[in-house]
Every structure is written in C-alpha cells, then in structure tokens.
Amino acid sequence: MRMSNSTSTPKPQAKKGGIGEYVRKRWPLFLLLALAFAYPLIDTGLQQISAYRFGGYTGSFVTVLMFSILALGLNIVVGYAGLLDLGYAAFFAIGAYAMALLTTPTPPWQNPVIPFPFNYFWVAILISAAIALFAGLVLGAPTIPLRGDYLAIVTLGFGEIIPVVFRNLTCVSIPLLTSGCIDLTAGERGVNPIALPVIPFTDFVFSKIFLGPWYWLAILLVIFLVFVNQRLEISRLGRAWMAMREDEDAAAAMGIDVVRTKLMAFMMGAMFSGFAGAYYASYIQAVFPSNFDFTVSVLILCAVIVGGIGNPYGALLGGLVLVGVDRVVLPALTGLFGPQNLGTILAPSSWRYGLFGLALVLMMLFRPEGLLPSAVRARELHEGEEQEAASGIIAAEDEIARESEAG
C-alpha cells in the first residue's frame, strides 16, 4: 500500500489586486493622461469663450512633445551611457530632411533621373529614422577613443557641420545618374510640402485648422517611446551603458564591449532624434537649415539635466517644462505684457536664454540630480555628502569619547 506524503506541495496563490489594484495605485497618472488627451478640446473652448485672446496653444504643445522625444533620445546618450553630446540637433535635421526629400511631391531638383521613390508617411518616417541611426553610427565610429570634453567638442562640430551641409546642397552632380547640377535642398528656401500622416477617419489636411489629431498622435508617440526607453534601461544593453558610465575601464575589464556599447548608444539616440525630426517636418510642412542650430542642442541638453539624468520620466518632464516655458509661457506673457507695454527689451521672450541659464545655476546649486532623477544618479551625486556626514558623526563620537575619558 502506497503511503501518501503528509506534506503536500503548496499551490501557487493567485496574484492579488489585478487591473483594479494597478489603476488604484496609479490613478494620478491616468488622470493626468486624461487631461492631456482632453487639452485640444479645452483649448478650442477657451478660444471661443475669450474670442481668441486665450488659448490656441495646441500647435505649440505639438512642438513641445516633439522636443520631449528628443530629450528621451538624448537621455540614452547622456543619461544611460554618460556620453556628452553637444550636436544632437544634427540628427534632428537629418531625420527632417530625409522625410522632406523622400515625400515632397515637388522635388527641389529639376528633371530628376531617379524617379520619386516614396509618397507614404509611415514608410518614409521609418526610413528617416533608419537614416538618422546610420548617421549615429557614422558619428560614433571615429569618436570611440574620445572621452569627456574631447567628445563634446567633436559632437559640437558635427552639429555645426550638418546645417551648413544642407544649406549648401544647392548644386549636386552625381556621375552617371544626373546631367548637370541638381538643387537638392533649395538652400535657405527649404523643402516643401511634405507628406502628411495617413490614419483612417482622420484628415490631417483639414487638421491644419484643428490641430487635435497632430497633438493626439504626438501623445501616443511619446507614450510608446517612453516605454521603449524603459525597456532599454532594464535590458542587458542598458546595464552595459550604465556600467560604462560609471567606469569605462572597469566595464571593459568585466567583459563589456565598449566599442559596440558606445556605438549602440549613439545609434539609438540618433534614431529617436531622426524619428522626431521626420514627424516635425511633416507637421510644419517645410524644413529650413536655420531650424537646427546649436541652440536646439543646448535646449535639449538643458531639458535632460533639469528633468533628471538617467530617468526617462525626468527627461520627459524636463522637455515639457523647459520647452513649454520657451514655446508657450514666454510667448503668452509677451502677448499680455509686452512689447506694447514693456518694450522689446523687457519683453519676456527676450530673456529666454537668461532664464534658462538661471534655471541651470539654481538646479546645480540646490538639486544637481534634477527634478526626477534616477535612484542611481541621485546616490552618485549625494555620495560625497553622505560620506562627509558619516565622517562628521564619527569625529563627533571620537570627541565625546575623548572628553569622557578625560573626565
């Protein structure tokens, strides 16, 4: 007769909570998302009530969301990998011009030998992101031996070169393919028009009047790219980036391929930027070299620093705050108080860079880790303070012991 064991294997218990518990814990986030999605309707109502004196900022918030995507991409390079990139706007320009040249129905060149390849928005935006990713590989390959300030100088030069290149591609000759000179980018006149998104039951041509569809699509893109950013952070590649950020030599000694890791950081950050550039080009329906100057790179870097280096939510918050102040708050204040009342010099928009500089100084003095930092970065920045406090406590205890012995 077979004896049954007195101890039986415990059955796995079902997880408590479920969707209801998940929503209950995160209801402020869901409420914020609901308000964000409802903003275009609120904005339209404000315009009608106030006779267009208040409201009308949905288009500005589309730009804010695009810059937030740029901040998410730069967070990979600066926040995860610890590589200082001062030419990030170059990939923004590459994505925008790739989208423009792939989809404009009236190419800027005359009598092209190569037929017009693409006229679909979603195909072109993916190809534009891939072209920007390849540009990240091209930039990252020669900069692998560089660190710190030297890397910053090289990326700064790359960021200054790309707009100049697009400005001067007005006479291009391709052997065996073209006869004569091709005006590729039309210089300062820019390239336009550009393909619009195609979504069922939504007309983006009409949406140039009501910008809600552009805004909602940008919100969905931001949510998706935040998810991608988070998955990269906890992936094996993300851990390699953060190990390289802590100590590159120690990471190489532990078996991390530093060359591949650096290249992947540049490529992923460039892909985010190219994706945002392609969408932005379709939104404004024209690209010009002056849209991608050095101030764009500085603004995105400031957004990452103020928001919190190494945290995708911090980078997103920094982009929303800084670019929101730059594109929404300051123009609104200028419209209310200046320049007719305060003059051009005292108008709030005239002090934008001074305000950004003041914000950076205050952040470095009082909260160097940013508004929403990653836990690792916060510990790194406050490690010295903790050690100093611990040494102070030990010194005080030694002093008390000496006094007790003397007494």
Side-chain angles (χ1 to χ4, degrees):
M1 182 176 179
R2 183 175 297 178
M3 299 294 293
S4 60
N5 295 330
S6 58
T7 58
S8 59
T9 304
K11 296 181 179 180
Q13 297 180 355
K15 294 183 179 180
K16 296 182 179 180
I19 299 177
E21 183 70 14
Y22 181 84
V23 173
R24 187 184 67 82
K25 290 182 177 180
R26 292 168 176 81
W27 68 267
L29 177 60
F30 287 102
L31 178 61
L32 184 63
L33 285 176
L35 292 175
F37 274 99
Y39 175 75
L41 303 177
I42 298 173
D43 188 41
T44 303
L46 288 175
Q47 292 184 68
Q48 295 177 353
I49 294 173
S50 61
Y52 294 91
R53 183 177 181 183
F54 300 102
Y57 295 107
T58 301
S60 299
F61 275 109
V62 174
T63 304
V64 171
L65 292 171
M66 288 302 99
F67 275 82
S68 299
I69 294 176
L70 293 174
L72 289 171
L74 189 60
N75 181 62
I76 295 175
V77 182
V78 177
Y80 294 162
L83 305 173
L84 183 57
D85 189 352
L86 294 180
Y88 195 63
F91 305 114
F92 190 39
I94 290 172
Y97 268 96
M99 183 70 175
L101 296 177
L102 285 172
T103 63
T104 177
T106 54
W109 54 84
Q110 298 293 328
N111 299 321
V113 175
I114 304 175
F116 175 63
F118 298 106
N119 59 355
Y120 295 104
F121 173 85
W122 297 110
V123 175
I125 196 172
L126 294 177
I127 294 177
S128 301
I131 292 173
L133 183 144
F134 178 75
L137 174 64
V138 172
L139 174 63
T143 59
I144 289 173
L146 303 177
R147 302 182 186 180
D149 299 337
Y150 299 98
L151 177 64
I153 292 172
V154 170
T155 55
L156 172 62
F158 182 76
E160 291 296 309
I161 288 171
I162 292 301
V164 175
V165 169
F166 286 129
R167 184 177 290 111
N168 290 279
L169 287 179
T170 56
C171 185
V172 180
S173 178
I174 304 176
L176 303 179
L177 293 178
T178 61
S179 58
C181 189
I182 295 176
D183 185 0
L184 192 63
T185 59
E188 289 292 347
R189 291 181 287 121
V191 182
N192 65 87
I194 302 170
L196 298 170
V198 178
I199 297 178
F201 310 108
T202 303
D203 188 357
F204 278 86
V205 176
F206 172 77
S207 297
K208 285 298 179 180
I209 301 173
F210 175 64
L211 298 175
W214 289 95
Y215 175 87
W216 290 320
L217 182 57
I219 286 279
L220 294 176
L221 292 177
V222 168
I223 293 173
F224 172 72
L225 293 176
V226 167
F227 172 77
V228 173
N229 215 285
Q230 285 184 311
R231 302 306 298 175
L232 285 173
E233 182 181 4
I234 63 177
S235 66
R236 183 176 181 179
L237 178 60
R239 295 194 297 271
W241 282 334
M242 287 179 275
M244 185 182 67
R245 181 192 67 195
E246 302 298 329
D247 193 322
E248 187 173 322
D249 296 327
M254 293 174 64
I256 295 176
D257 189 347
V258 176
V259 174
R260 175 181 173 275
T261 305
K262 279 189 176 182
L263 286 177
M264 288 299 295
F266 274 110
M267 291 166 64
M268 293 302 298
M271 185 184 68
F272 274 61
S273 183
F275 194 86
Y279 186 87
Y280 184 68
S282 178
Y283 170 65
I284 63 175
Q285 282 294 289
V287 287
F288 308 98
S290 56
N291 291 343
F292 312 101
D293 57 8
F294 177 64
T295 58
V296 175
S297 298
V298 172
L299 182 60
I300 302 166
L301 181 60
C302 291
V304 174
I305 294 174
V306 171
I309 296 177
N311 184 7
Y313 290 106
L316 179 61
L317 178 62
L320 293 175
V321 171
L322 282 191
V323 185
V325 169
D326 183 40
R327 301 300 175 95
V328 179
V329 177
L330 292 182
L333 292 177
T334 301
L336 290 176
F337 303 108
Q340 66 275 9
N341 298 325
L342 301 176
T344 304
I345 298 177
L346 296 178
S349 296
S350 301
W351 292 85
R352 52 197 295 256
Y353 294 119
L355 293 175
F356 293 156
L358 178 61
L360 286 178
V361 171
L362 294 177
M363 290 297 298
M364 294 302 102
L365 288 176
F366 300 107
R367 195 174 175 82
E369 68 272 20
L371 297 175
L372 287 178
S374 65
V376 176
R377 290 293 294 170
R379 286 197 301 268
E380 291 174 2
L381 292 173
H382 291 285
E383 183 178 0
E385 298 177 3
E386 294 175 357
Q387 293 177 354
E388 183 179 354
S391 62
I393 293 173
I394 294 174
E397 291 177 350
D398 293 340
E399 182 68 23
I400 293 172
R402 285 194 297 267
E403 290 179 357
S404 60
E405 291 176 358

